[in-house]
Amino acid sequence: MNGMKVFISFDFNWWKTSQAGDVGAKVKQYGLQDAQLKVGPNHDQVFVSSFTGDGLDLDAVRSAAGVPLFIAPNFQASNAAYGDGAFNWMAWPSNGANKAPSAGNNVTVEDGDRAYMSALGEKPYIAPASPWFFTHYGAEVSYSKNWVFPADLLWYNRWTEILELAPQYVEIITWNDYGESHYIGPLLSPHYDDGNSKWVNDMPHNGWLEMARPFIAAYKTGSKSVSDYIKSDQIIYWYRPTLKSARCDSTDNTMEPVNDSTGNYFQGLPNGAEAVSDAVFIVALLTEAGTIQVSSGSNSQTFAGQRGANAWAVDMGVGKQTFSIVRGDSTVLSGTSLKDISGDCICGIYNFNAYVGTLPAGDHDALQSPDAFQGFTSGLSPGICQPTPSLGTAPVVGTEPSGTARESTSTQVAPEVTTTSSSSSSATLNAPVATTLSSSSTSQASATTTYAQTTTVPDAGGSSKTVTALSQLFPTNCIQPGQVWAGPAALDPPARCDV
């Protein structure tokens, strides 16, 4: 209907490498659908990827699938040549052991590029791009984990690197992994909450899509510069909601000891906190040169911006965050963020997620009750925080040089996308064709909360049961015979189980 193409990325946290036949059968089940992404000289090779999976018998997968495949798994670089291509998951600087860099141990994303490209030779490389990483699960779940990778201006710097690298594919990590804070999709996208809402509520990331828009356009044409793809002035800014000096041990959800067999759990302050900067990060996309003014609390700075993409960091200050673009005597854009920076612990936890805002302000984006708040209070101190969005809408005061008032909001429209089904959700850009985004939950919805639409699957006896929330369909996530969907009109009706 909209040109989207999808592919399956098998998550080997759940699948086993001994299940090559089952993997192939699943590819066979969906590989001939019209929406399946196919590549190759004849566009007949079904695109298949993975999250990890080293040791998977790719020949057995091909045999069970029974159709031509292009398999680009997320094997380690040393095993990358076994596939038709390979995907590198490590989109953040690390110590080489899945934690933040440490003294003498700093593996950059570019190091990973070089390792994979060397192993692949002439085979296609799927380069990763991700804006952030923070996860903070405590004893309230069985997969407790608590660490942060330093990102800061990574999203801007990585897209600059990608334009120089010009890989055949780029995979954005991720569309909707709220639990690890690297989502670029909207908060209002329907999803079930496992407790990540504690650090995701009031933390939209849509602005990162806006920042990427001209970079994606340049990438798909092979250009090294974004200047010609910036059609209007914008500021995209992001920052953590609290100073890292805030101490939350008395109320944080990760203070209980757990049986940590993975080495991913740290009590209290997240592992890697020392590697992140107490800063506000600003990217200005300018149609012509201008002056950028930034105030973070009592700290104010002014920068000279050039036509094209510009990036800076300003020391974080507690209080209001304001931004503006000035040319000559005219203010082109100005506005105040909806999210203040605090010196205290919001909801009593260490929250190292990023708040992302834009000028002009984007559409209001908030988690949708009840599904997106199912696990909010689990692990929190009683009564310390309410499971509800609290951000308002942002007025933008600005004038064009002519004196005409600038529109106060702008609709944020993602690049042309394709949603794929993947437990490890991600996004792939395939130059020079359309952007591909993968998603492990349902599609984007609008912000309305009216209850208007209904979908009924009759049962044999003619009786029915009303369903108003996605959580009521768990674990099938589809409408059974005898159920009537009467959920928010913002949500696309769930699929019928009997179709």
Side-chain angles (χ1 to χ4, degrees), residues 236-254:
I236 298 92
Y237 55 88
W238 59 91
Y239 49 86
R240 300 189 326 277
T242 58
L243 301 174
K244 64 181 180 182
S245 59
R247 287 295 173 264
C248 316
D249 286 4
S250 63
T251 52
D252 188 71
N253 64 303
T254 65

Side-chain angles (χ1 to χ4, degrees), residues 130-205:
S130 187
W132 209 255
F133 188 107
F134 165 67
T135 188
H136 198 65
Y137 291 102
E140 66 271 13
V141 299
S142 60
Y143 41 89
S144 308
K145 53 183 182 177
N146 178 27
W147 85 91
V148 59
F149 285 126
D152 296 353
L153 278 168
L154 174 65
W155 188 235
Y156 171 86
N157 293 332
R158 182 57 177 162
W159 277 109
T160 302
E161 292 170 1
I162 283 169
L163 295 189
E164 290 296 324
L165 187 67
Q168 186 165 347
Y169 299 94
V170 175
E171 185 154 319
I172 297 175
I173 306 172
T174 57
W175 177 252
N176 63 353
D177 193 331
Y178 303 100
E180 292 184 349
S181 307
H182 39 64
Y183 54 95
I184 61 168
L187 297 179
L188 57 79
S189 181
H191 64 278
Y192 188 77
D193 175 40
D194 63 353
N196 59 66
S197 57
K198 287 187 280 294
W199 57 92
V200 170
N201 186 34
D202 291 341
M203 304 292 271
H205 286 181

Side-chain angles (χ1 to χ4, degrees), residues 7 175-176 418-422 424-428 436-440:
F7 64 93
W175 177 252
N176 63 353
T418 297
T419 305
T420 74
S421 68
S422 164
S424 169
S425 65
S426 52
T428 304
T436 317
L437 293 177
S438 78
S439 171
S440 61

